[in-house]
Amino acid sequence: MRAGLISAGFFALALVEPTAMAAASPALLFEATSGNVLYAEDVDNLWHPASLTKIMTAYITFEAIRDGKLKADDKVVCSEVSAKEPPSKIGLPIGAEMSVELALKALIVKSANDVAVMLAEKVGGSVEGFVAQMNATAQRLGMTRTRFVNPNGLPADEQVTTARDLAKLSRAIVKEFPQHAELWAMPDFRIGKRRLASHNSLLRTFDGADGLKTGFICDSGYNVVASATRDGTRLMAIVLGEPSTKDRSIRAASLLEHGFQHYGWKTFFDPTDIDNLPMDKDAKPVLSIRDRVLSWACGYRPKANSASRARRLRARRAARAKLKRKKKSTTAVLGPKLPGTKAAISSASPKTTSAKKAN
């Protein structure tokens, strides 16, 4: 399902013809308070959420704190299970502890996979117990096409969601837990002597940006739930399946900028929100876009153009010529090499000869 956008200024190229964008992926733009939809594209296609999964992990942790089952200064422990999680991670040794408050920063800002498991074990008693809570919460929030199998979003065929479902989750978390808003807006945080930066570049480059979360695995491409507030209006953009971090940021920024420029008239003439937006009958099943992702980890190998190949060839030739000149210079000083011996000492080097005799 697609809706045209009216563009302005710098964002015209990105917004005028979204349906003409090559291999366009799901996207959704909406106002956070009302849920009014400003733009929707393939919002019911199934997609791997990657680290956007951690929004749900944070939501359930916030619930536990609100309900008095958990305190910010409680400790979470690095278990053998969490220590085995691959990066992105904090990398604590087994048995090490950190506070829930610090763990939430690591989860949201650093997107730490090991910390997601630590929180899951603390809140749910086990990863399996926590995942059951995730799926029950998803159903309660109306995320009807979402299924979770782990708390961090690492690759799993069965772990799927949609742009619409992510919008419902993101809207709920900012509405129900405004006291934790600063966590989503942090561009970086410190743990010990290390300063760890957010993967969400919009926090540093887009006017009014205040969250939420990025995600990436090879099969899903680069995803983001981006939020920004201007003049009391908070807009949120869901962008899934972009081929690079740059493309992800540009598309999210373009959607948000368009929303701020046209929010008034758009909501006046079209009251559609994320709940009453008709279900797309042509929604597609989950698929992998690994072959479109511009990441070395996903098998992408950039093809050098002829100019860069020529530069490398000239550099290799220059290096070989330099090595040849160096060898000639060495032969002139040391003399010819005799069969079965080291290079003869030149009679023109009395100091070297004397030193040899002295030894």
Side-chain angles (χ1 to χ4, degrees):
M1 179 173 299
R2 299 180 179 183
L5 292 177
I6 296 179
S7 61
F10 174 79
F11 302 94
L13 183 60
L15 295 174
V16 169
E17 293 291 345
T19 57
M21 294 172 62
S25 299
L28 180 61
L29 176 68
F30 64 99
E31 196 274 324
T33 302
S34 65
N36 286 342
V37 173
L38 301 160
Y39 175 74
E41 179 177 357
D42 296 334
V43 297
D44 295 312
N45 284 6
L46 290 177
W47 211 264
H48 295 302
S51 283
L52 300 186
T53 300
K54 296 183 177 85
I55 300 176
M56 177 61 83
T57 301
Y59 182 95
I60 295 176
T61 303
F62 293 161
E63 279 190 321
I65 295 172
R66 180 196 63 195
D67 297 342
K69 300 175 181 178
L70 194 67
K71 294 185 295 184
D73 57 357
D74 284 346
K75 302 297 182 182
V76 294
V77 181
C78 181
S79 65
E80 184 176 352
V81 174
S82 62
K84 290 180 179 178
E85 295 298 283
S88 178
K89 62 192 295 183
I90 295 299
L92 295 177
I94 295 174
E97 299 178 338
M98 66 167 56
S99 68
V100 169
E101 181 180 12
L102 184 58
L104 282 168
K105 292 178 181 179
L107 177 80
I108 293 169
V109 181
K110 174 61 177 173
S111 197
N113 293 321
D114 51 352
V115 174
V117 171
M118 291 165 63
L119 284 167
E121 292 175 331
K122 179 71 174 181
V123 177
S126 67
V127 171
E128 294 75 17
F130 190 81
V131 169
Q133 290 186 43
M134 295 173 76
N135 286 313
T137 302
Q139 290 302 306
R140 177 172 61 80
L141 293 176
M143 301 170 66
T144 58
R145 292 174 60 79
T146 294
R147 184 185 177 191
F148 295 110
V149 299
N150 64 50
N152 48 29
L154 284 170
D157 291 342
E158 302 85 0
Q159 185 143 288
V160 293
T161 190
T162 66
R164 184 201 298 261
D165 282 359
L166 288 169
K168 292 178 180 180
L169 172 61
S170 302
R171 184 186 174 203
I173 203 167
V174 299
K175 180 180 179 181
E176 296 178 31
F177 301 105
Q179 66 271 34
H180 299 296
E182 65 176 13
L183 290 173
W184 304 108
M186 295 177 69
D188 57 62
F189 79 107
R190 288 191 174 276
I191 180 168
K193 296 182 179 180
R194 292 187 292 169
R195 185 184 70 84
L196 303 177
S198 170
H199 300 286
N200 186 359
S201 63
L202 295 176
L203 293 174
R204 297 179 287 274
T205 61
F206 189 81
D207 180 27
D210 50 17
L212 282 173
K213 189 78 186 67
T214 63
F216 165 76
I217 59 173
C218 292
D219 289 328
S220 77
Y222 292 88
N223 308 328
V224 66
V225 175
S227 170
T229 303
R230 294 182 187 173
D231 299 325
T233 298
R234 185 172 195 172
L235 302 183
M236 304 184 81
I238 316 289
V239 171
L240 305 177
E242 291 301 308
S244 70
T245 56
K246 181 179 179 180
D247 290 309
R248 175 176 68 188
S249 296
I250 288 175
R251 194 173 194 208
S254 298
L255 287 167
L256 289 168
E257 187 65 31
H258 166 80
F260 285 120
Q261 291 178 8
H262 303 288
Y263 173 71
W265 68 261
K266 177 67 177 176
T267 54
F268 180 79
F269 288 106
D270 186 358
T272 301
D273 61 39
I274 58 176
D275 293 314
N276 65 29
L277 181 69
M279 180 68 69
D280 187 356
K281 296 179 181 179
D282 298 321
K284 298 177 178 60
V286 67
L287 52 82
S288 171
I289 63 163
R290 180 183 292 262
D291 60 342
R292 292 202 287 121
V293 175
L294 307 181
S295 170
W296 187 271
C298 305
Y300 172 71
R301 302 294 182 268
K303 295 180 180 179
N305 58 37
S306 57
S308 62
R309 285 198 298 269
R311 285 194 296 271
R312 288 202 299 271
L313 181 59
R314 288 195 296 271
R316 285 197 294 268
R317 287 174 177 170
R320 285 198 294 268
K322 183 177 180 180
L323 181 61
K324 188 178 292 186
R325 289 194 300 270
K326 186 177 180 180
K327 287 182 178 179
K328 288 182 179 179
S329 175
T330 302
T331 301
V333 172
L334 299 180
K337 183 178 181 181
L338 299 178
T341 69
K342 295 182 179 181
I345 303 298
S346 172
S347 58
S349 305
K351 292 183 180 179
T352 304
T353 305
S354 301
K356 186 174 181 181
K357 291 180 179 178
N359 288 336

